[in-house]
Amino acid sequence: MITTEIIVQLVTGMLGSVGFALMFGLKKQYLIAAALGGLLNWGLYLLGMHLWNTIFFAGLLASAFSALYSEIMARIKKAPATLFFIPSVIPLVPGSALFNTCSNAVMRNWTEAKAYANTTLQYALSIAAGACIIWAIALTIENIKKNIKSN
């Protein structure tokens, strides 16, 4: 069931992606794609959390989607995939967890720092793993196509 909280999270994920894209000078013609990528990314993350209740697998699902989405948009828009991947994956970046890790480490509250570091690491690894899986598949498919054409 879609609640007001979920709608707010989806909209803020979308706005965060657009804000990041604007801050780094993404061309206006790509902003809608960046916004949609952020919204869908966070929606899949929420779905993954509902299904598995674990940050890593939810983040993996969302990150893999973002990598696939960016590859598709790159071909449609004839632009580099990173222009779409980075803004769409922004909602997954663990800013508050990283801040809390560092803050608790500075205060020498090692138990809390360790807990937040664990969360930060799960997000970071899920983003990296999801992207790597999709990009490895995409590269393999491209290499197979090249081999078929050369034969």
Side-chain angles (χ1 to χ4, degrees), residues 60-90:
L60 183 72
L61 172 67
S63 176
F65 165 79
S66 287
L68 181 61
Y69 176 79
S70 68
E71 289 293 327
I72 292 168
M73 292 309 296
R75 282 155 181 78
I76 291 171
K77 302 282 188 178
K78 295 181 176 44
T82 54
L83 294 180
F84 305 103
F85 178 73
I86 294 171
S88 71
V89 82
I90 283 299

Side-chain angles (χ1 to χ4, degrees), residues 113-129:
K114 182 180 174 184
Y116 283 114
N118 183 9
T119 300
T120 303
L121 190 59
Q122 287 182 60
Y123 276 112
L125 289 175
S126 70
I127 292 168

Side-chain angles (χ1 to χ4, degrees), residues 3-133:
T3 64
T4 304
E5 180 184 344
I6 291 172
I7 292 170
V8 168
Q9 287 187 37
L10 292 172
V11 169
T12 55
M14 178 183 69
L15 292 175
S17 293
V18 170
F20 189 85
L22 286 170
M23 189 170 72
F24 285 95
L26 188 67
K27 292 180 181 178
K28 290 183 181 178
Q29 68 195 43
Y30 303 138
L31 287 178
I32 292 174
L36 183 61
L39 182 135
L40 294 173
N41 173 289
W42 194 250
L44 283 173
Y45 173 78
L46 293 175
L47 176 65
M49 285 300 286
H50 176 75
L51 294 174
W52 302 302
N53 198 29
T54 177
I55 292 169
F56 180 78
F57 289 115
L60 183 72
L61 172 67
S63 176
F65 165 79
S66 287
L68 181 61
Y69 176 79
S70 68
E71 289 293 327
I72 292 168
M73 292 309 296
R75 282 155 181 78
I76 291 171
K77 302 282 188 178
K78 295 181 176 44
T82 54
L83 294 180
F84 305 103
F85 178 73
I86 294 171
S88 71
V89 82
I90 283 299
L92 290 179
V93 173
S96 64
L98 182 58
F99 171 80
N100 287 320
T101 300
C102 294
S103 178
N104 281 291
V106 167
M107 292 185 294
R108 296 179 186 215
N109 186 354
W110 302 117
T111 304
E112 288 294 314
K114 182 180 174 184
Y116 283 114
N118 183 9
T119 300
T120 303
L121 190 59
Q122 287 182 60
Y123 276 112
L125 289 175
S126 70
I127 292 168
C132 285
I133 290 167

